[in-house]
């Protein structure tokens, strides 16, 4: 398969596929004499794994680890489960942090009259002039 065919089958752009190749995330495809890449079915699995893992929040570094596990026939599902649980924990922390930020912003909005005056408690807070 050429890169266009792989892109169509995986839903990834050719640019993304080349990026993953440059980062050594996927097994290097063979090249013909004219330099064109030739992909095998295993590349589809690697690229699909990358696409799906990125869609649920795994970083490129984490994807590299998942791909190493994918390629290892002696892998343990416990390792994959642990990586996934770690990702969930990270996401939950981010949600907590984002909720704190949201609540701070809601408090700022509640303190602002939103009228035509130049005085704005939001700006005052952001520049460190806290008004009680």
């Amino acid at each position: 398969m050429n890169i266009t065919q792989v892109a169509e089958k995986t839903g990834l752009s050719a640019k993304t596929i080349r990026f993953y190749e440059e980062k050594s995330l996927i097994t290097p495809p063979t090249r013909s004499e004219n330099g064109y890449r030739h992909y095998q079915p295993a590349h589809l699995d690697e690229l699909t794994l990358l696409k799906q893992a990125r869609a649920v929040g795994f970083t490129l570094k984490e994807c590299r680890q998942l791909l190493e596990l994918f390629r290892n026939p002696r892998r343990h599902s416990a390792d994959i489960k642990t990586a996934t649980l770690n990702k969930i924990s990270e996401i939950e922390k981010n949600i907590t942090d984002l909720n704190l930020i949201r609540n701070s912003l809601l408090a700022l909005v509640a303190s602002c009259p939103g009228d035509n005056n130049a005085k704005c408690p939001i700006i005052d807070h952001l520049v460190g002039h806290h008004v009680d």
Side-chain angles (χ1 to χ4, degrees), residues 67-86:
L67 282 164
E68 287 171 8
L69 289 166
F70 167 73
R71 292 181 191 120
N72 181 356
R74 299 180 66 201
R75 67 181 172 256
H76 299 108
S77 67
D79 296 331
I80 301 163
K81 184 175 182 174
T82 297
T84 305
L85 287 170
N86 289 339

Side-chain angles (χ1 to χ4, degrees), residues 66-127:
L66 290 172
L67 282 164
E68 287 171 8
L69 289 166
F70 167 73
R71 292 181 191 120
N72 181 356
R74 299 180 66 201
R75 67 181 172 256
H76 299 108
S77 67
D79 296 331
I80 301 163
K81 184 175 182 174
T82 297
T84 305
L85 287 170
N86 289 339
K87 178 50 66 178
I88 291 168
S89 178
E90 179 185 318
I91 289 168
E92 287 173 346
K93 183 189 179 315
N94 289 342
I95 289 169
T96 299
D97 292 346
L98 288 170
N99 277 322
L100 290 171
I101 292 168
R102 180 182 176 273
N103 290 340
S104 294
L105 290 171
L106 286 170
L108 286 173
V109 166
S111 73
C112 181
D115 56 21
N116 291 328
N117 292 318
K119 180 100 175 107
C120 178
I122 297 171
I123 289 292
D124 291 342
H125 179 82
L126 293 175
V127 297

